[in-house]
């Protein structure tokens, strides 16, 4: 048995040359083609093969996977501190207020009723130093219903008459609020009545007659002629506007040193302090029968109230609150009449000056009087002290500090 196996092995053993070729070809296979790939032994060669066997096909390299996209994540925001939140809210609030204020400014400027032409009079005094505003409260019933007229006891008279007149002077010499009694006995310049075309010569009359006969133009001319002061700006408000402004600011606090009961105006106040609404405020500034000085006492009440009204309207609670400030402005503009050259900055300067007088930065005066009960053909009138009044007017014209006149005897 072993002899047969040995014979078979000898018969099938390859020659030495074939063995070398087979070994050399096996070793010449590239290492890269065998890495990771299972191989099998090369077949025995007999040496009689005439062709070189084809090399084993190389496997394609495995595809390299594409890199995953990089996702950048934002770092979580740190919560705002309380202070930063407050600052941010404040910036937003201020921006909103500035936008609202700018819009309100443009709107208010377009609403001004510029109907008084101060340059119409041919004989005006020369311009002085500083600025002179003429502030007029008229008894115009425009905007009042029949019921409102009855409740406010304004009467049924038509047209417009002056209920108060003040010259407000501002300049480097200080601020002065000077009341001119409506019953002042003065010279009314010559004029032509617009309704009839009839010409009137200069005449002596009460100051408020100038307004009733020739309106604001003649009133300005009469004041300029009798004071020598050139009026730079004019502002007038009627009953309706006055009541609405007082109500819009929430009333004005006034203190009186005695009980006041005036059947004609309807005013009924006890001694002490009160917050006056529009109706009571109107009665307060109109009544004079209960004043010892009559028309002079009324002008002092008007100054006192106007100063208190300006102070109330300028408080932060009103100015910083659009819901309070806008109705105040709108109410004032409803019946406000100004001159053709009056702009909103001029009106604000007037307002600031009135407020300044309230805080003690100025003087509140009545024109010096020599006789508060002068008998005339037009009834009882107020006679100015010519010497003292002229000195006062000269001081205002030259923008000098004023010297208050001694009390009227």
């Amino acid at each position: 048995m072993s002899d047969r196996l040995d014979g078979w092995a000898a018969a099938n053993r390859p020659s030495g040359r074939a063995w070398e070729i087979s070994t050399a070809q096996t070793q010449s296979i590239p290492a890269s083609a065998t890495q990771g790939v299972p191989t099998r032994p090369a077949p025995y060669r007999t040496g009689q093969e005439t062709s070189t066997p084809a090399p084993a096909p190389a496997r394609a390299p495995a595809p390299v996977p594409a890199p995953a996209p990089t996702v950048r994540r934002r770092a979580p925001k740190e919560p705002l501190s309380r202070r930063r939140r407050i600052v941010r809210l404040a910036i937003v609030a201020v921006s909103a207020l500035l936008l609202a204020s700018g819009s309100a400014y443009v709107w208010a400027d377009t609403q001004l009723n510029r109907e008084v032409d101060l340059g119409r009079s041919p004989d005006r005094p020369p311009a002085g130093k500083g600025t002179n505003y003429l502030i007029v409260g008229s008894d115009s019933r425009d905007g009042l219903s029949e019921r409102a007229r009855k409740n406010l006891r304004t009467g049924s008279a038509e047209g417009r008459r002056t209920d108060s007149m003040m010259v407000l002077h501002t300049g480097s010499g200080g601020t002065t609020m000077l009341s001119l009694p409506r019953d002042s006995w003065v010279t009314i310049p010559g004029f032509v009545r617009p309704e009839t075309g009839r010409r009137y010569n200069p005449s002596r009359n009460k100051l408020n007659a100038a307004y009733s006969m020739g309106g604001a133009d003649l009133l300005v001319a009469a004041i300029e002629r009798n004071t020598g002061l050139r009026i730079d700006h004019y502002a007038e408000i009627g009953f309706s506007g006055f009541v609405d402004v007082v109500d819009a600011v929430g009333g004005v606090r006034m203190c009186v040193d005695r009980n006041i009961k005036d059947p004609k105006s309807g005013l009924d106040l006890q001694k002490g302090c009160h917050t006056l609404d529009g109706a009571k405020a109107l009665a307060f500034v109109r009544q004079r029968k209960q004043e010892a000085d009559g028309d002079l006492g009324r002008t002092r009440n008007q100054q006192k109230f106007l100063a208190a009204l300006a102070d109330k309207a300028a408080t932060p609670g009103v100015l910083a609150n659009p819901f309070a400030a806008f109705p105040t402005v709108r109410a004032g503009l409803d019946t406000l009449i100004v001159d053709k050259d009056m702009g909103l900055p001029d009106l604000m300067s007037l307002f600031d000056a009135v407020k300044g007088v309230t805080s003690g930065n100025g003087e509140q005066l009545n024109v010096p009087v020599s006789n508060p009960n002068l008998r005339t053909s037009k009834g009882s009138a107020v006679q100015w002290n010519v010497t003292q009044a002229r000195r006062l007017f000269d001081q205002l014209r030259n923008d000098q500090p004023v010297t208050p006149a001694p009390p009227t005897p």
Side-chain angles (χ1 to χ4, degrees), residues 210-283:
Y211 188 92
S212 61
M213 292 187 295
D217 293 337
L218 186 57
L219 176 64
V220 171
I223 290 176
E224 288 187 336
R225 173 165 180 166
N226 289 273
T227 65
L229 297 173
R230 187 184 183 97
I231 300 301
D232 299 297
H233 290 293
Y234 179 94
E236 172 192 331
I237 191 168
F239 282 169
S240 176
F242 179 86
V243 171
D244 290 345
V245 168
V246 175
D247 287 339
V249 300
V252 176
R253 186 174 176 80
M254 292 296 297
C255 298
V256 295
D257 56 4
R258 68 189 190 283
N259 297 339
I260 303 177
K261 188 170 184 176
D262 182 45
K264 187 173 182 179
S265 66
L267 183 65
D268 187 359
L269 294 178
Q270 300 297 312
K271 179 180 178 180
C273 296
H274 310 266
T275 297
L276 306 183
D277 61 12
K280 290 182 179 179
L282 181 62

Side-chain angles (χ1 to χ4, degrees), residues 367-371 383-391 393 405-406 409:
V367 66
V369 171
S370 60
N371 187 353
Q383 185 178 33
W384 294 355
N385 184 313
V386 177
T387 302
Q388 294 179 359
R390 184 177 293 118
R391 181 173 65 249
F393 299 147

